[in-house]
């Protein structure tokens, strides 16, 4: 059964969420311990592409999607990456991380070895549209038939 939040609860939840976003957006990350990670991110389209190297700061609690968004914001604003829920429910941020299919939003940076670059590439099971975005229209056609 679902609980409907009161107006006060809704405002409190919005404030907590904004506080968390601001903590992740600030350069100091709210005093969290910072480290640096190198990424090899695939850039290109259906005609071809190549891996490009990026380095960014990461902090405790970050997931790969956070790092990719940081790279988008600071170094490669034309980097194409799909995501919707950031909760591991929709699957739209699927990619291959170090050669293994995973969700960018659920893969914690702390679970990855940072001794070598973290590779991020589009899912090999789907045609590439641009960078990390693949054509998943097949999924929607199959869902319609079901």
């Amino acid at each position: 059964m679902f609980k409907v939040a009161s107006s006060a609860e809704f405002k409190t939840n919005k404030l907590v969420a904004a506080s968390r976003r601001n903590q992740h957006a600030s350069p100091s990350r709210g005093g969290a311990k910072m480290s640096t990670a190198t990424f090899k991110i695939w850039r290109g389209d259906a005609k071809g592409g190549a891996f490009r190297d990026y380095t960014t700061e990461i902090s405790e609690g970050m997931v790969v999607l956070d790092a990719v968004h940081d790279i988008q914001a600071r170094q490669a604003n034309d980097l194409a990456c799909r995501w919707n829920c950031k909760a591991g429910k929709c699957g739209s941020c699927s990619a291959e991380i170090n050669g293994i299919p995973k969700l960018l939003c659920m893969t914690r940076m702390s679970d990855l070895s940072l001794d070598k670059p973290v590779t991020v590439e589009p899912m090999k099971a789907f045609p590439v549209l641009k960078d990390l975005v693949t054509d998943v229209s097949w999924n929607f056609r199959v869902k319609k038939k079901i």
Side-chain angles (χ1 to χ4, degrees):
M1 184 162 204
F2 293 101
K3 177 186 172 197
V4 177
S6 70
S7 161
E9 289 173 318
F10 182 74
K11 288 177 185 173
T12 301
N13 290 342
K14 281 181 70 174
L15 289 173
V16 168
S19 171
R20 287 181 181 152
R21 275 194 308 272
N22 290 339
Q23 180 181 13
H24 288 291
S26 70
S28 69
R29 306 269 193 233
K33 191 167 121 180
M34 301 290 289
S35 61
T36 301
T38 302
F39 289 83
K40 290 179 117 13
I41 299 178
W42 195 88
R43 304 293 311 268
D45 56 26
K47 297 173 189 166
F51 283 98
R52 298 228 179 106
D53 293 341
Y54 300 96
T55 302
T56 190
E57 288 186 340
I58 60 166
S59 63
E60 187 178 336
M62 282 183 76
V63 293
V64 175
L65 184 60
D66 295 329
V68 169
H69 282 162
D70 191 62
I71 290 167
Q72 269 184 321
R74 300 172 193 269
Q75 302 172 52
N77 58 6
D78 62 337
L79 172 62
C81 174
R82 183 181 286 144
W83 67 280
N84 281 305
C85 72
K86 203 171 185 258
K89 304 290 183 198
C90 71
S92 64
C93 67
S94 299
E96 295 196 12
I97 302 170
N98 293 335
I100 301 169
K102 295 183 179 225
L103 297 176
L104 298 178
C105 72
M106 297 303 288
T107 305
R108 296 227 167 260
M109 291 300 303
S110 59
D111 292 340
L112 301 173
S113 170
L114 301 181
D115 295 337
K116 56 185 179 176
V118 175
T119 61
V120 183
E121 58 189 309
M123 294 287 288
K124 291 182 178 105
F126 299 102
V128 174
L129 295 176
K130 183 177 187 231
D131 301 335
L132 302 177
V133 177
T134 57
D135 180 2
V136 293
S137 59
W138 175 85
N139 294 347
F140 298 112
R141 287 193 304 273
V142 170
K143 181 182 176 198
K144 230 180 202 183
K145 289 179 184 179
I146 294 172

